[in-house]
Amino acid sequence: MTWTQTDIHALLEKQKTFFQTGATLSIDFRLEMLRKLRNAVRAHETDLTSALEKDLGRSPAEGFFCDVGTLVLEINEILRGLRRWSRPEYHFSGLVCFPSILTRVYKLPYGQTLIISPFNFPFLLSLGPLAASLAGGNTAIIKASSKSCHATEVLLRLIVETFPPEYVAVIDGGHDVADLCLQERFDKIFYTGSPSVAKHVLQEASKNLTPVALELGGETGNWCIVRKDADLQDAARKIAFFKLLNAGQICININQVAVARECAEEFLRLLKSEFTRQIGQDALLHPEYPHLITSAAFDQCAAEAERYRERILYGGQGCRETLRYQPTIIYPVRADEPIVMHELFSPLLPVVPYDDDKADDLLKLIGNREHPLALYLFTKDRKWANSVMQSQQYGGGCINEVCLHLMVKGVPFNGTGHSGMGAYHGLWGFREFTHPSTVLTGSTHMNLPLREHPFTKSKLRLIRLFER
């Protein structure tokens, strides 16, 4: 379907009418809809993983691990906690409000929500925010990515079979259709993508003062720091795994590795060995190795690698026909070179050597750039690592591990600055898609006239007494 402004406006009006019936306010209704969503994901598992293979070359195992299974776990967490999260909070109003001593905080839905999802995890990053939106009692329109066309086709079918359009709908199309959506007056917008597009989303949302949540990759990329005291074998194994995942097309992936000069040679040897062990001598021939999303993405990756051709230690070859590009180690790279000044979103891995005793200087350099979505440290010095994690500005991260903070239940996934705003997953997603409303229940008896004119000296004395 080719969407027009009239079509989108009519769909939004249908959702607004449905929301105003109050049907979504029922917790039982929300739980039922979340179960329907979970059941639909399970029923379409083969379709989902097949679409991921067609769009991104991801194996069924990787597709299940990263999109389908993770999504089911996310919905299960919401199902277990929703009744508890949605209960009103009760607060003592304080003596200054006497005799009206009871205040409630209700968690109310925003209303009509717009979810703009990306191509790299087309199900997790569309249906995950959708689950949070439905848990909050909202209606939702998903603007799916035009780049992952097979995934969008499956997503359309799944939603049509599961929900009426006045409750949940999917809109396909390119950036022009996304702009048509942004011209409408939604009550909440959730966008996942790049900082440059996020600025446009914010600008459009500001026209209606629409609250926005942003999950971004970070303009200057995510750093991984390997100290000389790190377990180099462990670090190499985990970094290689992560860089191979989805061919590096992950918002929390490692953009560049900073390695202590004292151990750089050994680390590079181990890293090359791990790439080969995990994906074979030539990743282009391995059936489980994903590919880049479009020919434009491939060309950008290949052109960037070519600029550093003389410093490629591993990989550096691609096949435009299959859109695959080998995991590629580039060394040495200075921390001020262009390749480490922007998000790569590819299997290229620049390695920046630094003197281990100047690790804090490296952190200052990172801190002066745009805030990353993730930060990873490999070291045996837990005191130093904990200090870094409590003082740097970033979304989330790991010490002696990669990416798994995304999988932890009960904690937020978020960014800050150019890596995003807001947070979701579990309770945090419910909070992101609801707004707190404070309501004081007044008493009709024993009301004190302290707040009423005239303000006598005796009243003022009593007011000051209450303040103390």
Side-chain angles (χ1 to χ4, degrees):
M1 174 179 178
T2 301
W3 289 88
T4 67
Q5 190 75 67
T6 301
D7 296 328
I8 295 170
H9 182 77
L11 176 60
L12 187 59
E13 286 300 308
K14 285 182 180 178
Q15 292 205 346
K16 186 177 295 185
T17 299
F18 178 71
F19 177 77
Q20 289 172 346
T21 66
T24 67
L25 297 179
S26 164
I27 303 303
D28 287 335
F29 174 82
R30 300 185 206 180
L31 290 170
E32 181 186 353
M33 295 301 104
L34 287 165
R35 291 189 192 99
K36 287 184 70 174
L37 177 60
R38 181 183 61 184
N39 294 341
V41 170
R42 286 172 169 167
H44 286 82
E45 179 186 325
T46 302
D47 295 333
L48 299 176
T49 55
S50 176
L52 292 170
E53 188 170 14
K54 291 174 183 175
D55 285 330
L56 290 153
R58 285 160 61 182
S59 68
E62 184 175 314
F64 180 83
F65 175 69
C66 293
D67 265 84
V68 182
T70 302
L71 178 58
V72 170
L73 290 175
E74 174 78 3
I75 298 171
N76 284 342
E77 182 183 3
I78 296 173
L79 285 168
R80 283 193 296 270
L82 182 57
R83 284 196 188 278
R84 185 173 69 256
W85 303 339
S86 59
R87 290 175 191 147
E89 296 177 13
Y90 291 85
H91 296 264
F92 172 55
S93 305
L95 291 176
V96 72
C97 299
F98 185 85
S100 304
I101 60 172
L102 181 63
T103 294
R104 295 178 179 86
V105 178
Y106 296 104
K107 292 76 175 282
L108 300 181
Y110 279 102
Q112 290 71 59
T113 64
L114 172 64
I115 298 165
I116 305 177
S117 61
F119 71 83
N120 58 329
F121 291 93
F123 301 120
L124 179 65
L125 299 181
S126 59
L127 299 180
L130 174 65
S133 177
L134 301 188
N138 305 282
T139 65
I141 292 175
I142 298 172
K143 166 55 188 74
S145 174
S146 59
K147 293 180 179 179
S148 48
C149 57
H150 295 94
T152 295
E153 182 183 338
V154 173
L155 187 64
L156 274 162
R157 189 165 70 249
L158 183 151
I159 292 299
V160 166
E161 292 174 3
T162 309
F163 303 113
E166 63 268 23
Y167 182 45
V168 183
V170 175
I171 291 177
D172 56 352
H175 293 303
D176 55 334
V177 176
D179 280 339
L180 295 180
C181 292
L182 290 171
Q183 289 171 28
E184 294 296 326
R185 184 164 191 155
F186 285 88
D187 298 305
K188 177 79 176 185
I189 297 173
F190 191 103
Y191 169 76
T192 304
S194 69
S196 58
V197 177
K199 293 175 185 177
H200 175 65
V201 172
L202 274 177
Q203 186 177 32
E204 293 302 305
S206 70
K207 296 175 182 177
N208 292 314
L209 296 180
T210 301
V212 178
L214 303 174
E215 294 299 333
L216 314 175
E219 200 157 310
T220 50
N222 307 313
W223 284 82
C224 175
I225 301 174
V226 180
R227 299 292 302 269
K228 69 178 183 181
D229 67 345
D231 183 329
L232 298 182
Q233 177 66 61
D234 181 67
R237 177 182 181 180
K238 291 171 178 174
I239 292 168
F241 150 77
F242 199 19
K243 201 63 183 178
L244 292 171
L245 200 65
N246 209 24
Q249 299 167 108
I250 305 176
C251 59
I252 59 170
N253 212 323
I254 296 166
N255 208 67
Q256 54 270 324
V257 179
V259 182
R261 206 180 306 274
E262 295 88 337
C263 65
E265 185 176 339
E266 176 65 7
F267 171 77
L268 290 166
R269 183 187 68 79
L270 292 167
L271 183 60
K272 289 188 283 186
S273 177
E274 277 300 320
F275 275 134
T276 300
R277 183 183 70 82
Q278 294 184 35
I279 209 69
Q281 290 290 342
D282 187 354
L284 303 182
L285 303 176
H286 199 287
E288 292 183 357
Y289 186 55
H291 61 70
L292 295 166
I293 185 66
T294 61
S295 55
F298 177 89
D299 291 344
Q300 184 177 351
C301 173
E304 189 122 46
E306 201 57 42
R307 286 193 285 273
Y308 292 85
R309 174 62 57 188
E310 72 282 358
R311 285 183 269 174
I312 291 177
L313 299 185
Y314 183 91
Q317 300 299 320
C319 175
R320 198 174 191 275
E321 185 179 342
T322 62
L323 300 180
R324 285 178 166 178
Y325 203 93
Q326 294 171 333
T328 299
I329 303 172
I330 302 172
Y331 177 87
V333 177
R334 298 189 314 275
D336 60 352
E337 293 194 57
I339 196 170
V340 294
M341 298 295 285
H342 68 100
E343 186 182 22
L344 294 172
F345 227 61
S346 75
L348 303 184
L349 185 60
V351 179
V352 179
Y354 72 97
D355 295 323
D356 192 70
D357 61 356
K358 295 182 179 178
D360 290 339
D361 292 338
L362 175 65
L363 287 169
K364 287 179 183 178
L365 180 147
I366 295 171
N368 284 327
R369 295 184 179 174
E370 300 299 348
H371 305 325
L373 182 58
L375 177 63
Y376 303 102
L377 307 177
F378 284 89
T379 178
K380 292 186 176 72
D381 188 346
R382 291 294 181 88
K383 182 178 180 181
W384 175 83
N386 288 331
S387 175
V388 170
M389 289 303 197
Q390 293 178 69
S391 59
Q392 291 290 112
Q393 293 293 319
Y394 62 100
C398 301
I399 300 170
N400 295 325
E401 190 50 90
V402 294
C403 80
L404 293 187
H405 64 291
L406 179 70
M407 306 293 291
V408 180
K409 300 307 168 190
V411 300
F413 178 69
N414 65 336
T416 178
H418 281 234
S419 60
M421 62 179 67
Y424 77 119
H425 288 186
L427 170 61
W428 300 86
F430 173 80
R431 290 174 175 171
E432 190 63 57
F433 280 95
T434 57
H435 63 91
S437 181
T438 300
V439 177
L440 179 144
T441 301
S443 172
T444 57
H445 303 286
M446 298 177 62
N447 285 287
L448 301 178
L450 293 179
R451 61 188 176 188
E452 301 165 1
H453 293 287
F455 291 116
T456 62
K457 289 182 179 180
S458 58
K459 281 186 181 181
L460 289 174
R461 281 197 295 271
L462 281 172
I463 291 171
R464 290 184 183 279
L465 181 64
F466 274 125
E467 287 178 347
R468 286 198 292 271

